[in-house]
Amino acid sequence: MVGPMYDCLANPLGAIRLTFEKAVGSGCEPSAFDGKDWGALDVFREFLVDQGNLSQVPVLNSETLKWVQPNTLVRFRGMVQDMLGNEFYAGAYKDGSGWRTNKFGDDSQQPIDSSPDVRVWERRLLYCVPVPGLNTWAESEAASEATVTSMDLTSQQRDKRQRMDAESMDYEVCPGSNIVLEDSPSAKRMREDGHPSLSVQLSDLKPEGPCSSTMMRPEVGDSPSCLVKVYDTRESELKLNDIFEFVGVFTIESEPVPADDGDDIDLTTGFRNDLVHLQANKVPCLHCIVHRKLAVSDFLRSSPIIEQSKHVVMNTRESLLRHLTMLLGNDGVAANYMLLHLLSKIHARVDNVAVGKLSLNLTCLSKEALSVFGVQLCNALRNLLPFTDSIPLTVNYLNTACLGPKKDYQRNRLIGGTLQLAEGSHLTIDETQLETGTLNSVGIENARLLKDLVELQKVEYDFTYYKMEMAADVQLLVLSEGKSNILPADIVLPVRPSDVSRPEVVSAEALGAWRWYLATMRTLSHTIESEIQEVVEKDLVAARQADRRIGSKEFSSLLTMGRLMSLSFGETTLSLEHWEMVKELEKLRKERIN
Amino acid sequence: MASDSSPTRFNNTPSSPDDSAFSSPIGDTFSSPNKRGRGRSAATPAYDTPPHPNSRSRFASSEATPTPLHHAGRPTTPSSTSEGAPSSEAGDDMDEAAPTFVWGTNISVQDVKSAIQMFLKNFRDAQSQGAEIYEDGKYMKAIHRVLEIEGEWLDVDAHDVFDYNPELYGKMVRYPLEVLAIFDIVLMDMVSLINPLFEKHVQVRIFNLKGSTTMRNLNPSDIEKMVSLKGMVIRCSAIIPEIREATFRCLVCGYFSDPIVVDRGRISEPTLCLKQECQAKNSMTLVHNRCRFADKQIVRLQETPDEIPEGGTPHTVSLLMHDKLVDAGKPGDRVEVTGIYRAMSVRLGPTQRTVKSLFKTYIDCLHIKKTDKSRMVAEDAMEIDSGTQKHDEDVEFDEAKLSKLPDIYDRLTRSLAPNIWELDDVKRGLLCQLFGGNALKLPSGASFRGDINILLVGDPGTSKSQLLQYIHKLSPRGIYTSGRGSSAVGLTAYVSRDPETKETVLESGALVLSDRGICCIDEFDKMSENARSMLHEVMEQQTVSIAKAGIIATLNARTSVLACANPIGSRYNPRLSVIDNIHLPPTLLSRFDLIYLILDKADEQTDKHLARHIVSLHFEDPELAQQDVLDIATLTAYLSYARNHINPQLSDEAAEELTRGYVEMRRRGNFPGSSKKVITATPRQIESLIRISEALARIRFSEIVEKHDVTEAFRLLEVAMQQSATDHTTGTIDMDLITTGVSASERMRRENLVISTRNIIMEKLQLGGPSMRLLEILEELKKQSFAVEVHLHDLRNAVATLETEGVVVVHGDSVKRL
């Protein structure tokens, strides 16, 4: 796109207005821009993608919040926690002789009443929070990644970059490995497919295209919640609990808003301002120009292994399995199951059945054993997966915790519960601490919510007058002494630890490889050949003939395991060998149970 | 709404002599400047509803011929703080002596006025047309009625407006502020013609728009349009007294000012006494009880769950209610609202002229209808909330078309829980339950239930619970409960003490709550005895009687029960009788119309099916797998239509078939060569059969129960019965098994056993002699040519019988003859 140089970073609104004026000047009626872009997005796309300036855009977090100037370009990475509906604003108005626009800004300075011509446009308000359970490595990796890419930038941008570096340095954990990891292929890929996919996203407003993972960077540090105003998007594009990266104009509501209840019967408006509490808390606000849906893999640094060579996958698998075996006290079977569990992901939903989930219940863990394994295991999971959370299942916890999200009509906000998790989160539930006691109504409700999550991968959101089920995709690991009856997991496996070893020191490279492995393998697609399908069917029928207790549930988990097993080898079709492995594993597990 | 329209009337109709009389008291008072400017300025150039070119051309001419109208128009024109309509324009546009146009539109005031007059005078219902042509029109009658009861509003059905004059309807929806103002004027003119002394101000309330939108579809183009929405009230503000006119009194001389009408949301307090003699400065004080206030309320409406797309949270919208509409809805009510969607700009500060670029949106409510209430009247829970009306017109046709399909029965069966395998006959039964039979109430007071009760008994893992869940989802008034967690009171009703008033109150349980719906009870076998016994009354009489704590009541519980249970010992034991397996009291069992035994047979074919199904679930696109089935929405629509509109009657042929079949069923146990009488069917079964055949006719949308419906009903009953009432020793249907728990042949076998045991004991044991072990007797029995296998268990029973006869004494395992 040809045009004057705009300072997109420091004065994005200027750029937006310039393009608007240009568009209007070229003879377009402003009404033509109802719900449309007039070319401003092209400018930003060119700036961010084609020129690769994205890393220069400061990330909104508690640190940067202190110095980021209003009306500059920032980015924010978070989960859509609540949707606050639409907002109408005076999008374009005539000021004197010329048209002006308010899009992407909170411009309240102009006395609009002087102009008879106002176009009312709408934008959506999303309340976004940092991804729940985001682990520190996922944040810090993002930070280091941002630093690394910024090193490639031309010298003229260097001074700006240094300021950024200073900011992000604090969060850097392993700066040494960065440079090695920055690969030219990834940069090339960015140029090759980053551009087309993004342009699709921006101009046609299609749901997230497969943007290259290097294009956008996550933010650093404990970021605050953020009110994101989204323009001209279709509703289906942004869903609750999705993780997005937004790039847009940063503003903060500065004027004091009376928040007392007396305002409710304010005669001038008569309306309580729903956003009062948000503004009172000075929630930063972002007028989103570009957004992109993020997957788990976007939280990794640029892939250490670009080619998914079979060899590399195998090696990674082996070492990860070794690591898991060690964690589980030398229990190879448990480690295998754990690996499959960590790779599980819901890939289809048919009516009430969530296909692809593999919740794991490790039994035979007493309180004492757990004090050894549990901590190790949790730490390890935290290191492997980007979003993890754990729940101590005690009577007291169940009776008091707020697990399910609930709508607070006083504030007109959705209060996120513990179970409002992003797609692909991992949740560990520790049942070993559960003792006998009485559940109150909250406790029963919470237990039911957990059970629904385990069984159906759905969470009920309480809207007081009715409840709404929202689909979730959470990997659930239950640790218990005996088989958990509250949480009926797909796989119940007694752990047989044989030796307690001290946690080994894991190298950063290995960790990185494992993370990459887990994030990448679980997203692979999978099919089945007709011959294998027949074998599988035969095996299932035979198993059922032998043991009538085997029902569709067991079939399902068996097939899920088959799928995950071949995925764990980086294969996209089920082979006989892997199917046999699954059967073997199941045999070993059955032996343990009986 | 209508109150605010008065200023407009004021503007628009110099012709109306009454204007000043009533317009001033109800003047526009509304808060924000632009909010209430119904009239000229309310045409809100700011929002660009009217097409610009049009308006411009009109300007020229209007400026040339200013009419007195301006003067009326101006005072109420909020000089456009927000809308920015220069007041000069606002005033000018509307005139042109002859055709007065509404600003910025091609609506001529005169045209609209006469159209409305015609409508009100001449509109007649389709039915009444022709017959009573000389009678007054529908709305003339309505106006008279309003006058009689001194009402304050006239409900106008928008459908009527459309039928009478589609053009007027279009104008009304597009420019509601203007058209409604004219409407009010016309109405008041007519009122004053009929009764010049009528003092109240009558307003028009439009309802029942042709199309209703959803909350999330409201967009800027809807601003200032009339919209109709469904939603749920979630919050109501307190009632806000809003000042309409104020009176001031001078503190110095006691002079009372004339009432000062609110202008642009404010009242200009006189700075000096108006009395010529006094003229004291800053002496005027507000006299509260001389002021006029109007009620105002802000209500928040939230989307109902069915309108929320996947992955979204419900939207909300504010409603502004006035006067009589205040408190029309309470939190939790489902309502349908007709109103004008408006946007209001917000000032930066109370004293600043600048406004934010943001708008606050709300709906100025014209009419509110509780949809819940209408459902109650409709008396059928199967009727779904979402658009029964739409349904009647548009979908009816589709449904009728659907019902004409030759394979509709099979298609519906397929569409029911498509991901559950096989079990086609069970699904057919469930389909019958969903459609239901006709309830009959005889003049004598006796009533026959139309609801079909179904019990599913089966092995674990046969997707019973999934079926239950599915049915629960399908039937809106369904309650799902698990037997283990339900107590008797939880199912029926209980008396509790209100914590605040300390009064005893009746709380409905699951069965009462699912009145006219389906109550799904999972794990029926694990329910406590006590709770189960409560079901007796519900399942036959369809009422719940309670007598507790001073409350004696009988509540309706016209519910179908769908229960599912595991056999005793969790797996079906083919050795035991069905009763023993199910382990439910026979009295309760006989109340189920259909009892399905879902047995997990070790059948390779079904296993293969299951395996294939699950494999395809995992590896194929689930979208492709399902075809040729109706989606849930269509299914519910079909269902509710059938339940509401089809009431099949037995044809003579069908009745004959029913009699014949019943006689045959009873005769069947009577097979040749056998003297034993096996009771095959009971009158309860014939009632069940009638219900099922009625349901089958309903499925076809047929008003007549045909012969083949009856045949199918017999088949269904037989399929269920063959499984559930097969005597495993004779293979015949045996209702005795259901009603008493022991089959006739089983009884005979036991008798035989007792006789032969007695014989052995008589033979082997001496009177008062040494005892004999049970096992020894068993050996003896086996030696004798006893065709049937004898179990120790049976023997024990036989010996116990003998003991009661006083023949033997039993000590542990040893038997001693007396």
Side-chain angles (χ1 to χ4, degrees), chain A residues 213-263:
Chain A
S213 60
T214 49
M215 189 196 82
M216 305 232 180
R217 320 263 167 247
E219 75 284 358
V220 194
D222 48 330
S223 35
S225 309
C226 181
L227 183 68
V228 179
K229 304 195 175 185
V230 186
Y231 294 79
D232 309 338
T233 47
R234 278 183 319 187
E235 198 149 28
S236 52
E237 201 172 327
L238 294 144
K239 286 189 177 161
L240 202 66
N241 299 348
D242 280 355
I243 305 170
F244 279 95
E245 179 162 73
F246 302 97
V247 179
V249 184
F250 170 73
T251 59
I252 200 151
E253 302 276 335
S254 50
E255 87 257 34
V257 180
D260 56 315
D261 254 25
D263 196 39

Side-chain angles (χ1 to χ4, degrees), chain B residues 113 184 276 285 308 383 556 596 692:
Chain B
K113 215 170 150 180
D184 277 359
Q276 291 297 327
T285 179
I308 303 163
E383 188 184 310
N556 273 333
Y596 282 103
I692 297 169

Side-chain angles (χ1 to χ4, degrees), chain A residues 381-583:
Chain A
L381 290 177
R382 221 170 280 147
N383 271 325
L384 288 173
L385 301 168
F387 334 117
T388 57
D389 204 351
S390 62
I391 293 181
L393 202 69
T394 62
V395 171
N396 191 30
Y397 180 82
L398 278 177
N399 280 342
T400 52
C402 164
L403 289 185
K406 195 173 184 316
K407 179 93 175 186
D408 179 353
Y409 285 112
Q410 289 300 312
R411 293 163 59 200
N412 204 25
R413 279 282 324 282
L414 188 65
I415 311 297
T418 317
L419 294 187
Q420 190 177 7
L421 294 168
E423 201 174 285
S425 303
H426 185 279
L427 185 63
T428 312
I429 303 172
D430 179 5
E431 211 193 84
T432 54
Q433 298 163 34
L434 191 64
E435 281 170 3
T436 51
T438 316
L439 289 184
N440 59 19
S441 57
V442 178
I444 291 168
E445 188 65 11
N446 280 336
R448 200 180 54 78
L449 280 171
L450 279 175
K451 183 168 178 265
D452 281 357
L453 181 62
V454 176
E455 280 189 330
L456 311 169
Q457 290 283 342
K458 278 183 179 169
V459 179
E460 217 172 54
Y461 287 36
D462 187 357
F463 286 94
T464 311
Y465 303 102
Y466 50 82
K467 301 194 166 166
M468 255 172 65
E469 280 189 336
M470 297 273 181
D473 182 359
V474 180
Q475 300 170 334
L476 280 145
L477 176 66
V478 183
L479 307 173
S480 63
E481 228 160 309
K483 177 179 179 292
S484 172
N485 281 321
I486 302 173
L487 307 164
D490 296 321
I491 304 285
V492 179
L493 176 71
V495 188
R496 297 270 162 83
S498 56
D499 125 67
V500 179
S501 55
R502 310 231 356 110
E504 64 175 330
V505 181
V506 184
S507 71
E509 285 100 283
L511 262 183
W514 293 339
R515 287 166 191 165
W516 167 83
Y517 168 80
L518 286 178
T520 319
M521 292 304 132
R522 69 191 298 226
T523 55
L524 293 181
S525 66
H526 192 73
T527 54
I528 188 167
E529 303 285 325
S530 57
E531 303 96 66
I532 285 289
Q533 186 170 345
E534 242 161 65
V535 175
V536 169
E537 279 170 21
K538 231 176 243 159
D539 281 348
L540 292 180
V541 172
R544 195 166 154 74
Q545 294 287 330
D547 184 355
R548 301 304 300 165
R549 278 176 307 178
I550 296 181
S552 47
K553 210 183 141 199
E554 284 74 18
F555 279 10
S556 256
S557 25
L558 212 57
L559 281 166
T560 308
M561 284 170 64
R563 174 197 181 91
L564 295 174
M565 183 61 88
S566 41
L567 287 184
S568 78
F569 286 95
E571 305 268 335
T572 53
T573 50
L574 183 62
S575 72
L576 200 58
E577 187 197 346
H578 297 146
W579 179 243
E580 291 297 331
M581 283 172 76
V582 166
K583 284 202 297 182

Side-chain angles (χ1 to χ4, degrees), chain A residues 288-342:
Chain A
C288 170
I289 297 170
V290 180
H291 67 269
R292 182 178 69 113
K293 192 177 174 179
L294 301 179
V296 173
S297 52
D298 295 313
F299 284 87
L300 308 174
R301 83 189 60 184
S302 43
S303 337
I305 306 135
I306 298 305
E307 284 297 311
Q308 292 174 17
S309 80
K310 205 171 157 76
H311 177 68
V312 177
V313 171
M314 285 297 280
N315 280 348
T316 320
R317 184 182 188 277
E318 280 309 307
S319 66
L320 180 56
L321 204 56
R322 258 202 314 280
H323 179 62
L324 291 174
T325 313
M326 194 274 308
L327 278 173
L328 291 161
N330 247 348
D331 186 340
V333 178
N336 264 301
Y337 274 102
M338 182 62 83
L339 178 66
L340 298 186
H341 164 66
L342 294 181

Side-chain angles (χ1 to χ4, degrees), chain B residues 231-388:
Chain B
M232 190 182 265
V233 176
I234 53 164
R235 279 182 69 200
C236 293
S237 73
I239 297 172
I240 304 161
E242 196 176 47
I243 197 158
R244 291 290 174 88
E245 52 180 46
T247 309
F248 292 90
R249 185 172 62 95
C250 176
L251 286 173
V252 177
C253 66
Y255 168 81
F256 280 97
S257 73
D258 288 333
I260 297 171
V261 181
V262 168
D263 179 23
R264 279 173 257 157
R266 307 155 178 261
I267 290 193
S268 43
E269 185 182 340
T271 47
L272 71 171
C273 183
L274 298 175
K275 202 176 174 189
Q276 291 297 327
E277 298 82 40
C278 177
Q279 293 210 337
K281 276 189 182 165
N282 297 327
S283 66
M284 301 303 280
T285 179
L286 190 73
V287 188
H288 287 278
N289 54 6
R290 286 261 201 121
C291 295
R292 264 179 34 85
F293 294 91
D295 287 344
K296 184 173 98 169
Q297 188 178 32
I298 294 143
V299 171
R300 274 217 159 251
L301 201 65
Q302 181 172 278
E303 274 179 313
T304 48
D306 41 315
E307 283 171 0
I308 303 163
E310 179 106 18
T313 56
H315 280 199
T316 56
V317 69
S318 295
L319 302 180
L320 198 58
M321 308 276 204
H322 295 286
D323 301 329
K324 290 286 166 195
L325 287 174
V326 165
D327 272 349
K330 297 262 180 305
D333 283 348
R334 280 170 190 240
V335 295
E336 187 179 350
V337 165
T338 310
I340 303 168
Y341 193 43
R342 311 197 60 173
M344 171 179 83
S345 49
V346 186
R347 289 186 198 211
L348 268 182
T351 52
Q352 280 166 285
R353 290 264 294 161
T354 48
V355 292
K356 288 195 206 176
S357 61
L358 280 184
F359 291 98
K360 292 223 163 298
T361 53
Y362 62 94
I363 289 176
D364 220 340
C365 193
L366 297 173
H367 187 275
I368 181 165
K369 188 175 99 187
K370 282 189 201 176
T371 44
D372 252 359
K373 210 172 168 184
S374 69
R375 191 167 87 167
M376 228 77 110
V377 173
E379 272 262 304
D380 196 335
M382 289 292 177
E383 188 184 310
I384 37 171
D385 284 340
S386 55
T388 5

Side-chain angles (χ1 to χ4, degrees), chain A residues 19-36:
Chain A
T19 50
F20 179 75
E21 273 152 29
K22 213 172 85 182
V24 174
S26 65
C28 292
E29 275 290 311
S31 57
F33 301 133
D34 288 2
K36 273 199 221 80

